[in-house]
Amino acid sequence: MHPVHRSGLLLLALLVTSASAAAAQSDPALERARKLLRSVPLIDGHNDLAWEIRESKTAPMDVAAYDLRTRTAGHTDLERLKAGQVGAQFWSIYVPGEVKDSGYARIQLEQFDIARRFIARYPERLALALTAADIEREFKRGRVASLLGMEGGHVIENSLGTLRSYYDLGARYMTLTHNVTLDWADAALDSTRHDGLTDFGREVVREMNRLGMLVDLSHVSPATMSDALDVTQAPVIFSHSSARALTEHPRNVPDSILQRLPKNGGVVMVTFVPAFVSNEVAQYEKRETEENKRISAEVADTAEVSRRMEQWSAANPRPQATLAQVADHIEHVRKVAGVDHVGLGSDFDGITNVPVGLEDVSTFPQLFAELIRRGWSDDDLRKLAGRNVLRVLQEAERTSERLRKERQPSTMTIGPVATPMSP
């Protein structure tokens, strides 16, 4: 290379470096947030990448084609995980509660397969994690500790043996319901049939405690939340919910439940779902649903329904949630439940719309910068980032160790066992 050219490139590099340093210094809160997240694993409670891969429009279920080393169409890839300083991720292995084709187990096992394959495909950046100690070890190694969380208790098909098999495959939490009420638990967005948990539902919670699987109360009704808190011997989580006092949405957590968390030790992992953090978005989506029902009742042709809904949407622009509103929910959970009982559960790749300022997994530091501007201490921010969830995992592991010594795996069934017919 010509010496003059080399000198010019060196000068350009120095100018770029100086500009970057100046930009960082211009936002000391963001720089402080990034420094803090280098000291503690940021644990996100819910990311639907496995379902995003399954539903890919170009190569459904093809883990190799959905290349995380490149910029993906969704919210998640390796470069953006690094920029967001994500230290540990609960990858949701979700199965819709409405699926009826061949039972839920086939799809659930396929979701285990997709998640475990994409974790194994990038060993330089991702590592399967099963315990709190795994998270801390992988954080020190610079890899994203990757845990698996099942979304919806329908996948156990009323069988505790199936629950145990899923634990052995690596599931470390289970959301008791998704959006469909089960034979043993009421969901938040469906009809109330049991006023919470049935006797079998309570046994599901006990068996999860014995296994060391976290009881996830996102998606369940308030009565189910209350019953689970009555039964559980280990801390619970809400993997992706926000505060109902701020946004009146059935998926959010009432203050009456938040007030019980200190005794239980659990954590609400505040979510970024726009309708859960913004009253304006929640009301918009309610009107949108009502309009869709009205048009569908008048018109049989689905294409015409879609056309009319597009017209309605054009005439009724969707409001946007904001990063500041997410921070408001975090602060409300801290105010009511305490700073030891709040975490983060983004729901990235499980949502189409995102809050302004929280567009993908790279944006977590900006949320911490906002809380720094609001006066949060470094110690409280470390609790929010990951220490609270690490404590919950550790306590669940200790509870499991004790309960496994006290009782055998449960053989309870939901009803009479069918007698096989004679050949």
Side-chain angles (χ1 to χ4, degrees):
M1 181 181 291
H2 194 283
V4 174
H5 293 167
R6 178 173 294 178
S7 298
L9 288 174
L10 287 172
L11 178 59
L12 178 61
L14 287 171
L15 289 172
V16 170
T17 301
S18 298
S20 299
Q25 290 174 0
S26 68
D27 190 348
L30 183 57
E31 182 61 24
R32 179 176 151 197
R34 288 174 173 154
K35 181 180 179 181
L36 181 139
L37 292 174
R38 290 194 290 269
S39 70
V40 62
L42 167 58
I43 304 174
D44 179 29
H46 199 88
N47 181 302
D48 276 296
L49 176 61
W51 191 258
E52 181 75 5
I53 293 173
R54 182 187 187 91
E55 295 289 288
S56 169
K57 290 181 175 60
T58 55
M61 299 182 71
D62 190 335
V63 170
Y66 201 97
D67 187 0
L68 297 182
R69 293 192 180 99
T70 65
R71 177 85 177 198
T72 66
H75 300 139
T76 310
D77 52 53
L78 298 183
E79 182 178 346
R80 285 182 285 174
L81 283 169
K82 184 176 181 180
Q85 296 180 260
V86 177
Q89 180 67 65
F90 279 96
W91 302 107
S92 172
I93 41 177
Y94 157 69
V95 176
E98 298 80 6
V99 171
K100 300 291 184 185
D101 63 344
S102 60
Y104 302 114
R106 175 182 65 81
I107 298 174
Q108 182 63 86
L109 292 172
E110 288 174 350
Q111 291 308 102
F112 270 103
D113 175 65
I114 289 172
R116 294 194 64 147
R117 280 194 293 135
F118 77 66
I119 293 167
R121 185 171 177 79
Y122 308 100
E124 75 281 10
R125 290 292 295 123
L126 307 179
L128 183 67
L130 301 173
T131 66
D134 290 346
I135 293 175
E136 294 181 299
R137 182 189 67 243
E138 296 306 327
F139 178 67
K140 292 176 182 176
R141 293 177 176 177
R143 299 196 293 181
V144 178
S146 296
L147 303 101
L148 304 180
M150 297 189 297
E151 188 172 18
H154 52 278
V155 298
I156 71 170
E157 299 186 25
N158 299 338
S159 165
L160 296 178
T162 302
L163 175 70
R164 290 188 285 271
S165 295
Y166 290 148
Y167 178 85
D168 289 342
L169 286 173
R172 287 302 178 266
Y173 76 59
M174 183 175 75
T175 318
L176 295 187
T177 73
H178 190 243
N179 291 335
V180 176
T181 287
L182 309 182
D183 293 333
W184 48 271
D186 290 331
L189 299 181
D190 199 2
S191 58
T192 298
R193 289 167 46 195
H194 315 294
D195 192 28
L197 290 173
T198 68
D199 288 343
F200 182 78
R202 293 182 180 89
E203 190 71 357
V204 170
V205 172
R206 294 187 190 99
E207 190 63 10
M208 291 174 72
N209 287 170
R210 193 191 68 83
L211 289 169
M213 185 185 292
L214 298 180
V215 176
D216 178 11
L217 299 182
S218 285
H219 280 287
V220 307
S221 71
T224 301
M225 296 175 193
S226 184
D227 284 353
L229 286 169
D230 289 343
V231 174
T232 185
Q233 296 186 50
V236 302
I237 63 166
F238 293 77
S239 66
H240 57 308
S241 295
S242 293
R244 196 160 181 172
L246 296 190
T247 304
E248 180 56 40
H249 194 290
R251 273 282 284 102
N252 283 340
V253 187
D255 278 2
S256 59
I257 298 297
L258 291 179
Q259 290 163 0
R260 296 186 62 182
L261 283 186
K263 182 178 180 181
N264 167 262
V267 172
V268 173
M269 306 181 81
V270 172
T271 192
F272 304 169
V273 181
F276 299 177
V277 298
S278 165
N279 278 308
E280 293 78 15
V281 176
Q283 290 303 312
Y284 176 89
E285 292 193 358
K286 184 178 180 181
R287 295 197 309 273
E288 184 180 43
T289 299
E290 290 170 352
E291 183 67 10
N292 188 278
K293 288 180 179 178
R294 186 189 69 78
I295 294 173
S296 298
E298 294 178 359
V299 181
D301 181 52
T302 55
E304 178 62 12
V305 172
S306 297
R307 188 186 70 80
R308 292 197 189 183
M309 282 304 301
E310 287 174 4
Q311 290 179 333
W312 184 89
S313 298
N316 297 271
R318 172 183 288 271
Q320 291 182 299
T322 65
L323 179 152
Q325 289 173 316
V326 174
D328 291 342
H329 282 261
I330 293 169
E331 294 208 292
H332 184 83
V333 174
R334 180 178 72 160
K335 176 183 175 182
V336 178
V339 73
D340 294 326
H341 307 286
V342 62
L344 300 173
S346 68
D347 207 8
F348 281 133
D349 277 317
I351 49 179
T352 303
N353 299 294
V354 293
V356 175
L358 291 170
E359 288 80 11
D360 57 38
V361 296
S362 72
T363 58
F364 284 104
Q366 281 79 358
L367 180 57
F368 282 81
E370 171 67 17
L371 295 171
I372 286 168
R373 295 184 197 105
R374 296 185 183 201
W376 279 53
S377 70
D378 285 0
D379 190 53
D380 285 355
L381 289 168
R382 289 188 182 97
K383 290 180 178 181
L384 171 71
R387 283 183 178 171
N388 288 340
V389 176
L390 280 172
R391 172 185 52 77
V392 166
L393 281 165
Q394 290 161 350
E395 291 182 18
E397 290 165 10
R398 286 193 291 269
T399 299
S400 172
E401 185 178 6
R402 172 175 59 82
L403 291 176
R404 285 173 184 254
K405 294 174 182 176
E406 294 177 1
R407 64 171 187 258
Q408 294 298 307
S410 175
T411 57
M412 185 176 181
T413 59
I414 200 165
V417 178
T419 304
M421 295 180 64
S422 301

